[in-house]
Amino acid sequence: MTTTPVARRVTKALGLTAVAATVLAVVLLSPLVLEGISGSRGVDWNRLSQVGAAYGFTSAIVSALALAGVALSLIVQNRQARAEQIQAIRSYYLELVRLELDDQALFQPVWGATDIVDPDDQKRHVYADLMMNYAWMGFEIGTISESLLRDMVAGMFSGRAGREYWSRAHPSWTARSSASRVGRRFVSVVGEEHARAVAIGPPPRAPRPSGRPPAPAPRVPRRWQAPAGALIGLGSGLALGSLLRRRR
């Protein structure tokens, strides 16, 4: 089973905290352990204080490491909680988009006027927006690398619908992703792949599906079919005339 980068960071932080706590406990208990090893019965606190002063610098370093581990663990937990909140908001957004796709003529005017006239093009625009949000979410949390992101959007921009979507949605993506370094990098990568696809040339136009079965091709009569039909008709007429004369 694969683990996410957030889970790996949490595990690493907890491991460092446990190691720091163990080392700190060993340092604090080492005077008593040394006393037991030496075999002395009474506790000479002056001597122990001198030993403790010798361990003071090491104890301060270990304490600082333990505090840093706790702080790192809290930071990772905060990021994980924020990622879960973002995931919940985007799940709600996906539900709204599904409602729009189910009855686009009813819900699409809520978003305002659009220059996309064809209903099929409107659905392609919404679907492309879902794909771009999926790529953004994976890139943000680390499950989609930059090379995979480039491969995804390169395939998307190889067609007309993907290019038209980014041409329309690029300003909004720039506005909402400019607040974070990851967001700016995402927009930069997608913009580079879009420019590269446009530089290659216009995409091939796919035939529009009509929803009707193709009409059968007209049958071309062969050259020998007309004379053969005439001979068959003549023979049938002669046979029918001979049969009628015999009956008379």
Side-chain angles (χ1 to χ4, degrees):
M1 181 178 63
T2 59
T3 58
T4 62
V6 175
R8 288 196 295 268
R9 287 195 293 268
V10 172
T11 305
K12 185 177 180 180
L14 293 177
L16 291 175
T17 304
V19 171
T22 303
V23 173
L24 179 61
V26 170
V27 171
L28 294 177
L29 295 177
S30 58
L32 300 178
V33 174
L34 292 175
E35 180 188 4
I37 294 175
S38 63
S40 59
R41 300 299 180 182
V43 178
D44 188 358
W45 294 106
N46 292 327
R47 180 166 171 264
L48 291 180
S49 65
Q50 294 175 359
V51 174
Y55 280 96
F57 181 73
T58 305
S59 177
I61 295 177
V62 174
S63 299
L65 292 176
L67 183 60
V70 172
L72 180 62
S73 176
L74 293 176
I75 292 174
V76 172
Q77 291 178 5
N78 185 28
R79 290 182 178 179
Q80 185 178 9
R82 177 173 174 77
E84 291 176 354
Q85 292 175 354
I86 294 175
Q87 176 65 24
I89 294 174
R90 289 177 178 171
S91 299
Y92 189 72
Y93 165 76
L94 293 179
E95 292 297 328
L96 293 176
V97 174
R98 289 193 184 97
L99 287 176
E100 181 183 357
L101 288 176
D102 291 339
D103 196 347
Q104 195 167 7
L106 178 63
F107 294 110
Q108 196 277 329
V110 177
W111 297 97
T114 177
D115 58 345
I116 307 175
V117 180
D118 189 7
D120 291 338
D121 288 339
Q122 293 178 2
K123 292 181 179 180
R124 294 188 188 99
H125 181 85
V126 175
Y127 181 75
D129 188 64
L130 290 176
M131 291 296 297
M132 193 62 68
N133 274 278
Y134 165 74
W136 158 240
M137 183 172 59
F139 185 75
E140 184 181 21
I141 64 178
T143 57
I144 295 180
S145 61
E146 182 173 325
S147 60
L148 179 57
L149 175 63
R150 290 184 180 276
D151 184 69
M152 290 175 60
V153 296
M156 183 176 177
F157 294 149
S158 63
R160 178 181 62 88
R163 296 186 186 184
E164 291 180 351
Y165 164 77
W166 186 249
S167 299
R168 292 188 178 96
H170 176 259
S172 62
W173 274 101
T174 303
R176 70 178 180 177
S177 302
S178 59
S180 65
R181 181 184 60 84
V182 179
R184 292 190 296 270
R185 184 57 186 167
F186 175 81
V187 174
S188 176
V189 169
V190 177
E192 290 173 3
E193 293 301 322
H194 181 264
R196 184 179 291 109
V198 172
I200 293 175
R205 289 188 173 271
R208 297 179 63 87
S210 59
R212 299 178 181 178
R219 298 182 62 184
V220 180
R222 299 181 181 178
R223 295 181 179 180
W224 56 268
Q225 289 181 352
L231 292 176
I232 293 175
L234 179 60
S236 300
L238 293 176
L240 181 60
S242 175
L243 179 61
L244 292 176
R245 286 195 298 271
R246 289 178 182 178
R247 288 186 177 182
R248 293 177 180 177

